[in-house]
């Protein structure tokens, strides 16, 4: 049985917007718009921030490949008169960035990153006072191309004709899709408007992996550990202060095992480790945002999620006293390892 996790179809998302202009937004744009709007509402702005001080940063691994395929198929079969230039614009990877920025009225820094999560870039922009508020996150949708790529790379461990995921286990790769966004603000701005942040992003680091490309979907323990160490240094945090790690674990043993080894060598050996991908799958560009949101929620609630990774006891754990500090990890197909330090104060 083939099993994936997917957000709703475009037809189910469109009613959230009322009348849509032509060309109609792609499914990934619809997902991103809904997620960004929800994050914006949850930030509880009593008045709209200065639009020139609001930025939008988005990460994704793939573009609108299904739209491109449809466009060029029509072009070849029916000629230039049968295709629309406006539809071609929809095929560009950064169209989703423009839609989200226009929808929120954000006129500050904007960036689409193909690969690593954008939270380090957002943190740098806030530190340099380039913006007061940044809507940061990611989106990707599960197209036929992505499914073929997963099969070709043997991510399921069963070859091209095998199933992606055996229902009931969390030790297998689960392809999925979705969108997730967080609102990042300068602390001074948050204090001025009387808001109560759920967590603080203290530091970040991204390290390109030396093994990627040479050995397929594998990672170097040393490079993962380096991303953690650089993020801790950026945050001014001691490894012994880390109470938990939100893992990038995606059910790929060749990666997950060395990731766990890197965690053990880099932080407090008693830290809890967890991954939420057994619940929502590998969501590509959105996965870094979901991992960071899980870490921030653990800080806010003082509750570590169930251990849904390959070493699973499937029990939520209340940390002895609110966890003051944790790390969120992320990796991407181009070969980068990213680490983000979050804390309660």
């Amino acid at each position: 049985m083939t099993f994936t996790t997917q957000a709703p179809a475009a037809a189910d998302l469109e009613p959230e917007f009322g009348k849509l202009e032509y060309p109609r937004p792609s499914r990934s744009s619809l997902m991103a718009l809904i997620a960004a709007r929800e994050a914006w509402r949850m930030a509880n702005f009593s008045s709209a921030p200065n639009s020139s001080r609001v930025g939008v940063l988005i990460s994704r691994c793939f573009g609108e490949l299904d739209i491109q395929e449809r466009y060029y198929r029509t072009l070849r079969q029916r000629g230039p008169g049968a295709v629309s230039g406006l539809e071609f614009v929809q095929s560009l990877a950064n169209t989703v960035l423009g839609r989200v920025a226009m929808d929120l009225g954000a006129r500050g820094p904007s960036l689409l990153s193909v690969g690593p999560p954008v939270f380090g870039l957002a943190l740098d922009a806030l530190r340099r006072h380039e913006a007061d508020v940044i809507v940061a996150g990611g989106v990707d949708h599960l197209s036929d191309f992505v499914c073929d790529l997963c099969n070709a790379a043997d991510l399921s461990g069963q070859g091209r004709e095998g199933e992606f995921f055996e229902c009931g286990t969390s030790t297998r790769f689960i392809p999925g899709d979705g969108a997730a966004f967080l609102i990042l603000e300068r602390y001074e701005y948050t204090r001025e408007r009387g808001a109560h942040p759920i967590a603080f992003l203290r530091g970040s680091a991204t390290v390109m992996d030396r093994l990627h490309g040479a050995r397929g979907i594998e990672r170097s323990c040393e490079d993962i550990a380096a991303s953690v160490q650089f993020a801790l240094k950026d945050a001014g945090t001691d490894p012994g202060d880390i109470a938990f790690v939100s893992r990038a674990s995606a059910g790929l043993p060749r990666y997950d095992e060395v990731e766990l080894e890197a965690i053990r060598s880099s932080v407090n050996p008693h830290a809890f480790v967890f991954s939420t991908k057994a619940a929502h799958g590998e969501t590509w560009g959105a996965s870094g945002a979901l991992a960071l949101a899980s870490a921030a929620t653990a800080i806010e609630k003082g509750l570590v999620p169930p251990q849904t990774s390959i070493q699973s006891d499937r029990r939520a754990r209340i940390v002895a006293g609110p966890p003051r500090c944790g790390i969120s990890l992320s990796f991407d197909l181009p070969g980068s390892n990213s680490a983000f330090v979050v804390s309660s104060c």
Side-chain angles (χ1 to χ4, degrees):
M1 178 172 70
T2 299
F3 185 92
T4 60
T5 58
Q6 284 188 270
D12 297 319
L13 298 173
E14 288 180 352
E16 297 288 326
F17 297 91
K19 185 177 180 181
L20 291 170
E21 75 281 3
Y22 179 83
R24 303 173 81 83
S26 65
R27 179 169 171 269
S28 57
S29 290
L30 293 172
M31 290 192 295
L33 287 166
I34 290 174
R37 286 180 179 183
E38 183 177 354
W40 190 263
R41 286 194 297 268
M42 292 176 66
N44 294 320
F45 291 105
S46 56
S47 60
N50 182 342
S51 62
S52 65
R53 301 287 297 168
V54 178
V56 177
L57 276 65
I58 296 179
S59 174
R60 66 185 312 183
C61 293
F62 309 104
E64 305 291 355
L65 298 173
D66 50 343
I67 296 178
Q68 292 179 16
E69 181 182 4
R70 183 174 67 245
Y71 179 89
Y72 286 110
R73 185 190 306 117
T74 303
L75 179 64
R76 287 194 302 269
Q77 295 176 353
R78 299 170 56 191
V83 294
S84 166
L86 289 176
E87 186 177 46
F88 176 79
V89 172
Q90 290 288 91
S91 72
L92 303 179
N94 65 347
T95 298
V96 63
L97 174 67
R99 286 194 178 275
V100 171
M102 289 188 293
D103 187 68
L104 298 179
R107 300 173 58 198
S110 64
L111 175 74
L112 177 78
S113 169
V114 179
V118 293
F119 302 106
L121 297 173
L123 181 59
D124 289 341
L126 293 172
R127 285 171 170 170
R128 294 193 296 262
H129 288 225
E130 294 174 356
D132 295 324
V133 179
I134 291 183
V135 183
V139 62
D140 265 310
H141 70 286
L142 194 60
S143 65
D144 290 341
F145 171 85
V146 177
C147 291
D148 288 343
L149 177 64
C150 292
N151 274 331
D154 194 19
L155 297 186
S156 67
Q158 293 188 347
R160 184 174 178 80
E161 301 301 325
E163 298 173 348
F164 281 120
F165 177 69
E166 183 176 313
C167 189
T169 74
S170 60
T171 60
R172 304 290 298 280
F173 181 81
I174 314 172
D177 62 10
F181 286 86
L182 292 86
I183 304 297
L184 306 182
E185 304 176 37
R186 289 194 306 109
Y187 175 65
E188 295 81 4
Y189 180 81
T190 304
R191 187 172 56 184
E192 288 172 3
R193 73 183 187 91
H196 300 284
I198 64 174
F200 291 83
L201 179 58
R202 293 292 187 184
S204 71
T206 295
V207 174
M208 296 305 294
D209 203 291
R210 70 192 74 181
L211 292 184
H212 182 77
R215 301 185 186 178
I217 308 299
E218 294 191 31
R219 290 295 190 265
S220 158
C221 176
E222 292 80 6
D223 292 329
I224 299 172
S227 70
V228 173
Q229 293 160 5
F230 290 143
L232 289 170
K233 182 178 180 180
D234 185 46
T237 301
D238 187 270
D241 293 334
I242 300 301
F244 66 85
V245 179
S246 177
R247 295 181 60 188
S249 168
L252 298 172
R254 289 172 292 172
Y255 173 77
D256 294 350
E257 292 168 6
V258 295
E259 182 196 32
L260 191 58
E261 181 183 349
I263 292 170
R264 288 170 174 161
S265 67
S266 304
V267 301
N268 171 15
H270 302 293
F272 294 112
V273 295
F274 63 87
S275 172
T276 60
K277 288 185 181 177
H280 54 69
E282 174 53 67
T283 53
W284 316 104
S287 61
L290 288 169
L292 184 57
S294 299
T297 302
I299 292 288
E300 179 190 28
K301 304 295 185 182
L303 184 68
V304 174
Q307 311 297 294
T308 54
S309 56
I310 56 175
Q311 295 193 351
S312 173
D313 64 14
R314 300 186 182 280
R315 292 178 295 174
R317 298 184 179 185
I318 298 177
V319 180
R324 296 195 60 197
C325 201
I327 285 183
S328 172
L329 299 181
S330 179
F331 77 95
D332 60 51
L333 291 179
S336 66
N337 305 294
S338 298
F340 306 99
V341 178
V342 293
S343 74
S344 59
C345 61

